[in-house]
Amino acid sequence: MPSTGLPTQASALDSKPQVTAERQEFYQRIGEQSATPLWEVLSDIVTPEPRTGCVPAIWRYREMRPFLMEAGRLITAKEAERRVLVLENPGARGESRITGTLYAGMQLVLPGEIAPTHRHAASALRFVLESDGGYTAVEGERITMRPNDFILTPSWTYHDHGNPGNGPVTWLDGLDIPLINALATSFAEHYPEETQPVTKNQHDSLARYGANMLPVEYVSTRKSSPVVHYPYERSRETIHQLYRNGPVDPVHGVKMQFANPATGGSPMPTIGAFLQLLPAGFQGSAYRSTDATVFCVAEGSGRTQIGGRNYDWEAHDVFVVPSWCPVAHQADGESVLFSFSDRPVQKALGVWRDQTGPA
């Protein structure tokens, strides 16, 4: 059969046609109309496999903590609105994101300080690193923050932070800011007062919605979880009990996903969160998935191989695994990893994939 002169499917996706003088002149003329030829960009925008500008990276807490304390000397929590060091992916410097769709930062509130009340369209999570009496208030419920607690600030909920204790309070922030900004749907506003009134008892949401029961005829008023506080003590006991019961997954160890008790889905519609226990001496098999994932070490020490390179970690370190990048965890002693990603969005769109074994 004679050739049609058209590129094959593979060549169209993997390469660009030759640029002749006549074609270049045509491209310039249509460029004046803000148009461009698809065949010149097709291989860049429709890729055979995921392609991301983000790269693997790690932020070691023992190195970041002195910078946080220095920031505490340079600017107050009130001046800064939120005193945070943004964890920028080295492949996307200046873009305030750790993955394509997610933001992460380390926040500090010093003794006696208050981070004033505001709300925004972006959804947020807090994973507590250090705290001795610090709190987050969400929609009238003031939550005492303890190390490794997981706390939600759902979209458009008023929240503030304070530290009546004697030592610094630090935590990892995770937000869907890059996704919200890509959709051009960002809104934010301040509460009229510095702090919102406390209208609920502590652990109110956990008692109402987090005990395998719901209020009679409960109807959810938002897409995020009605529980805003997932205490580490309870979560840690759960994964420890499952470890005792077995079996241990060869890739993930013992891994659970945090859930919205009203739906069984993720805690927030744009961000999924996970907790996994790696037994002492664990050497995980390789795995990859399309959701770029941010990890924070809750306990222990070990190393994670990301894209063929080893990253050693210890408590409070944060590291990121880009989309479709092979990852394998190893633990020295018994270790626990918290993680979050945009998996709920990908699953809602039907585009999420994962793969176990060598790439």
Side-chain angles (χ1 to χ4, degrees), residues 101-102 121-124 152-156 176 179-180 183 220 222-226 258-260 263 265-273 341-349:
T101 59
L102 296 174
S123 299
L152 302 186
T153 303
S155 173
W156 212 240
D176 56 8
L179 176 62
I180 293 300
L183 298 171
S220 178
R222 63 188 185 209
K223 294 184 180 297
S224 56
S225 172
F258 289 96
N260 177 340
T263 65
S266 62
M268 294 182 285
T270 53
I271 306 177
S341 76
D342 66 0
R343 186 176 299 187
V345 177
Q346 295 194 19
K347 285 195 168 184
L349 296 175

Side-chain angles (χ1 to χ4, degrees), residues 12-201:
L13 291 176
D14 297 335
S15 62
K16 299 177 181 178
Q18 180 181 0
V19 178
T20 65
E22 184 178 21
R23 289 175 178 175
Q24 186 61 46
E25 188 274 334
F26 171 67
Y27 300 161
Q28 291 175 350
R29 284 189 287 116
I30 65 172
E32 295 173 0
Q33 304 298 319
S34 297
T36 196
L38 174 61
W39 56 89
E40 280 294 296
V41 298
L42 183 61
S43 61
D44 295 324
I45 64 174
V46 182
T47 59
E49 288 193 348
R51 187 184 300 175
T52 174
C54 294
V55 298
I58 188 166
W59 292 264
R60 293 183 170 86
Y61 190 64
R62 67 175 182 271
E63 297 172 355
M64 294 299 299
R65 190 182 189 279
F67 289 124
L68 277 173
M69 298 305 127
E70 185 174 356
R73 293 192 297 272
L74 293 174
I75 191 167
T76 67
K78 186 174 182 179
E79 283 182 285
E81 184 73 23
R82 294 295 188 262
R83 190 199 289 113
V84 180
L85 299 184
V86 180
L87 305 184
E88 290 192 326
N89 191 286
R93 292 302 309 276
E95 299 180 22
S96 297
R97 58 190 177 94
I98 194 168
T99 75
T101 59
L102 296 174
Y103 156 106
M106 289 184 180
Q107 184 161 172
L108 167 68
V109 179
L110 291 171
E113 287 189 324
I114 291 173
T117 307
H118 67 200
R119 64 179 179 177
H120 38 66
S123 299
L125 63 82
R126 327 287 175 190
F127 188 70
V128 184
L129 304 177
E130 296 181 53
S131 180
D132 182 17
Y135 70 82
T136 286
V138 183
E139 290 291 278
E141 181 178 345
R142 183 170 289 186
I143 302 152
T144 300
M145 307 172 84
R146 294 183 173 85
N148 299 330
D149 280 2
F150 170 45
I151 299 170
L152 302 186
T153 303
S155 173
W156 212 240
T157 56
Y158 278 119
H159 56 282
D160 56 87
H161 314 292
N163 182 2
N166 297 318
V169 175
T170 65
W171 65 84
L172 174 69
D173 284 321
L175 291 90
D176 56 8
I177 291 174
L179 176 62
I180 293 300
N181 288 343
L183 298 171
T185 56
S186 177
F187 292 90
E189 67 180 24
H190 285 91
Y191 191 75
E193 306 295 333
E194 189 172 56
T195 60
Q196 60 183 299
V198 177
T199 58
K200 303 171 185 175
N201 292 329

